Amino acid sequence: MTPSDDDRRQTAPAAAPSRAERAVEVRPGTGGAAVCVLAGDLDIETLGPAAEALAALVARRPRAVVIDLSGVGFCDSSGLNLLLKTRLAAGEEGVALHLAAVSATVMRVLELTGAQAVFSLHASVEEALAG
C-alpha cells in the first residue's frame, strides 16, 4: 500500500501570532531634555527594553524626559505601571516628565484609570520640549 498524496503532505504547525516588536529610541532633545520614542506593544512581554531605557535615561538626570507614545499600539496594566514608576523616579531625581503624542490606545488606558491627571500630556514632542 502506497501512501496517498494527502498522507505524504506534512501540515506545517500553525505559526504563533506575531507580537509587535518593542522599539526604543533615545535621542537628545532641545535645552538639555531627552526624548524616548517607544513603538510597538507596551505590555508585560515586551516591557524590558523600554523599562531599561527609561531607567537609564532618568538616572542621567536631563532637564526633562519626553516619552513619545505615538507608535504604541497596545498598552496593558504593566505598561501603565512602567509609565507611573518612571514618573515617580523622574520626580525623585528632579526631572520633569512629559508624555507626547499619546496614541489613542494609551490615552484610553490613562482615561480609564484616571492616570491622565498625574501626567503632563502634550500633542507632540515639539510641544513637550517647548513647555
Side-chain angles (χ1 to χ4, degrees), residues 46-129:
T46 60
L47 208 58
E52 291 171 15
L54 288 169
L57 190 55
V58 168
R60 291 192 340 224
R61 300 181 72 192
R63 175 186 62 80
V65 170
V66 176
I67 303 174
D68 180 348
L69 296 167
S70 61
V72 175
F74 176 78
C75 180
D76 70 2
S77 61
S78 62
L80 174 62
N81 193 35
L82 172 62
L83 295 175
L84 291 167
K85 283 182 177 180
T86 302
R87 179 186 159 272
L88 290 175
E92 290 172 0
E93 294 294 333
V95 175
L97 181 73
H98 305 278
L99 303 184
V102 180
S103 67
T105 302
V106 177
M107 185 58 79
R108 181 78 173 135
V109 172
L110 295 176
E111 290 171 346
L112 285 172
T113 60
Q116 85 279 7
V118 300
F119 287 106
S120 174
L121 302 172
H122 302 273
S124 68
V125 171
E126 294 75 21
E127 181 184 297
L129 289 170

